[in-house]
Amino acid sequence: MTSWKDVAVGPELPLRDTIALIDKSSLQVAVVLNTDGRLAGLLTDGDIRRAILRGVDLHTPTKVVMNTRATAAPASTSREELMALMRRKAFRHLPLVDEERCVVGLVTLDDLMGSVERSNWVVLMAGGMGTRLRPLTEECPKPLLAIGGKPILQTILESFIEQGFKRYFVSVHYRAEMIRDYFGDGSRWGVELEYLYETSMLGTAGALSLLPTQPKHPFVVMNGDLLTRTNFGSLLEFHEEHGAAATMVVRDYGYQVPYGVVRLEGTKIGSIEEKPTHRFFVSAGIYVLSPSALSHVPNGTFFDMPSLFESLIAAKETTAAYPLREYWLDIGRIEELERAQREWQGPSK
């Protein structure tokens, strides 16, 4: 179990080093201390992602990004009082301090409440043909290809289960019976699992029209060929914090122009930049949708996620981008499958 001391940092520590400490821990937070041990601030996973979206340089000191108005509680505060305070303020982390405001502990809402069981649904898209992985997918659907001795889709399912999710829907089309025969109703893993049968390809959003009922809470949608160590609880918190109808997980992608780029001023050369790299945020194939977003999904028609987001934006609904920091790999080609087989170790503990 991670101790708060493992994530205690100084205000001047570069942000990238603080992120590395957070990623090694299970706490999703760093406690920033002055040299005398007093609380200077907190840096949460959400703070980091918002900084990334703003383009903050990762060499920036932690103090520039941290929350300097972090609430703390006396170390003598009872468990019941701590839980009431954290629920009232929607805190997930609360430092404990002594009379001199020196940090002596850290409590998390998960510690106080015990293991989390989430009521949010998970929809996994597993109906694709896997054409770029042929001939491997001629007899086996891509979600059943093995990584680390088990099918890709099983690895995905188990990563969600470890984070407390209990109800799943799997969208199937190509070789649907093989996926159904392997996973059954999910009881082998102690979860509920149902199938959304696409008689024709409906796309990553169109398949949602097959859900049997309207969900009561925001739900996660994810492509069934991704390996990631994303914290889905943090993703859901980000979605709700921003009041979004839909949140798209994005990752940083760089493209290097293989030539010198010439910028002109009329017919004159203004500057020359040799092989510049352009950076973009691109979709990572993971989404959170609020139930209201389903009203924008047509029935029985091909409809992909970009189209859904465009529809929501046109309707003035709030959409959000959640920058991905963790491991991510899209297994779309033979080279990526081979890479996953070399390096995937399963979820970090």
Side-chain angles (χ1 to χ4, degrees):
M1 184 175 179
T2 305
S3 164
W4 71 270
K5 293 181 181 179
D6 295 330
V7 290
V9 302
E12 301 296 334
L13 189 70
L15 184 58
R16 66 182 304 164
D17 294 335
T18 302
I19 291 173
L21 284 176
I22 292 175
D23 287 346
K24 286 181 181 178
S25 80
S26 59
L27 295 176
Q28 297 293 307
V29 68
V31 182
V32 188
L33 304 178
N34 291 317
T35 54
D36 59 2
R38 294 172 186 260
L39 180 66
L42 286 183
L43 183 72
T44 66
D45 183 78
D47 294 329
I48 294 168
R49 295 185 199 273
R50 285 186 287 273
I52 291 172
L53 288 176
R54 296 197 306 271
V56 173
D57 189 298
L58 295 186
H59 292 91
T60 299
T62 295
K63 66 181 180 182
V64 175
V65 179
M66 71 182 185
N67 176 11
T68 58
R69 296 182 292 177
T71 299
S76 59
T77 307
S78 69
R79 180 179 181 278
E80 292 73 19
E81 291 173 317
L82 290 171
M83 185 175 293
L85 173 62
M86 296 178 76
R87 283 178 167 168
R88 187 170 67 252
K89 298 285 190 179
F91 292 157
R92 300 205 66 83
H93 309 90
L94 187 64
L96 301 178
V97 296
D98 61 17
E99 295 177 355
E100 303 298 325
R101 200 172 166 76
C102 291
V103 177
V104 296
L106 177 75
V107 294
T108 70
L109 193 57
D110 289 348
D111 288 339
L112 295 175
M113 296 179 64
S115 59
V116 176
E117 184 170 315
R118 301 186 185 279
S119 55
N120 310 84
W121 295 358
V122 176
V123 181
L124 300 173
M125 297 297 175
M129 305 287 288
T131 53
R132 292 179 296 166
L133 283 167
R134 288 177 179 170
L136 297 178
T137 53
E138 288 178 355
E139 300 297 330
C140 178
K142 179 164 60 171
L144 292 185
L145 293 178
I147 299 292
K150 65 180 68 172
I152 298 168
L153 191 60
Q154 181 178 341
T155 295
I156 294 171
L157 177 68
E158 289 174 351
S159 71
F160 276 101
I161 291 171
E162 287 184 358
Q163 297 186 44
F165 294 88
K166 293 294 183 182
R167 190 169 185 190
Y168 300 84
F169 295 88
V170 179
S171 177
V172 292
H173 175 68
Y174 177 66
R175 305 237 177 233
E177 72 287 349
M178 293 182 67
I179 297 173
R180 182 197 61 216
D181 290 347
Y182 186 90
F183 290 98
D185 62 2
S187 57
R188 173 180 165 193
W189 290 272
V191 300
E192 298 177 51
L193 194 155
E194 300 178 47
Y195 298 91
L196 309 177
Y197 292 95
E198 299 181 58
T199 54
S200 61
M201 299 293 284
L202 295 178
T204 47
L208 300 176
S209 66
L210 302 176
L211 286 170
T213 58
Q214 180 91 349
K216 296 180 180 179
H217 308 285
F219 59 99
V220 180
V221 181
M222 177 167 153
N223 295 346
D225 57 359
L226 301 178
L227 292 180
T228 182
R229 295 193 176 97
T230 302
N231 184 304
F232 296 103
S234 295
L235 171 57
L236 285 164
E237 290 166 19
F238 183 95
H239 174 83
E240 297 196 12
E241 176 186 341
H242 289 80
T247 295
M248 178 185 293
V249 176
V250 298
R251 62 188 186 89
D252 184 60
Y253 177 80
Y255 170 74
Q256 185 175 38
V257 179
Y259 310 103
V261 173
V262 180
R263 292 182 173 84
L264 301 179
E265 298 173 358
T267 59
K268 296 180 179 180
I269 295 178
S271 64
I272 302 174
E273 187 176 2
E274 185 63 26
K275 298 181 180 179
T277 297
H278 296 280
R279 308 211 70 83
F280 310 90
F281 282 114
V282 299
S283 173
I286 307 169
Y287 315 88
V288 174
L289 302 179
S290 291
S292 61
L294 291 175
S295 64
H296 293 261
V297 177
N299 288 323
T301 301
F302 184 89
F303 197 62
D304 58 20
M305 274 294 178
S307 297
L308 175 56
F309 274 78
E310 289 169 358
S311 176
L312 291 167
I313 292 167
K316 308 298 183 184
E317 298 280 1
T318 300
T319 56
Y322 178 87
L324 187 70
R325 300 188 290 103
E326 298 87 349
Y327 181 94
W328 179 95
L329 181 62
D330 174 11
I331 304 171
R333 299 175 300 174
I334 295 290
E335 310 91 270
E336 289 144 354
L337 179 66
E338 292 173 347
R339 175 184 167 189
Q341 290 168 337
R342 289 194 307 270
E343 66 188 27
W344 180 254
Q345 299 293 323
S348 298
K349 299 296 183 181

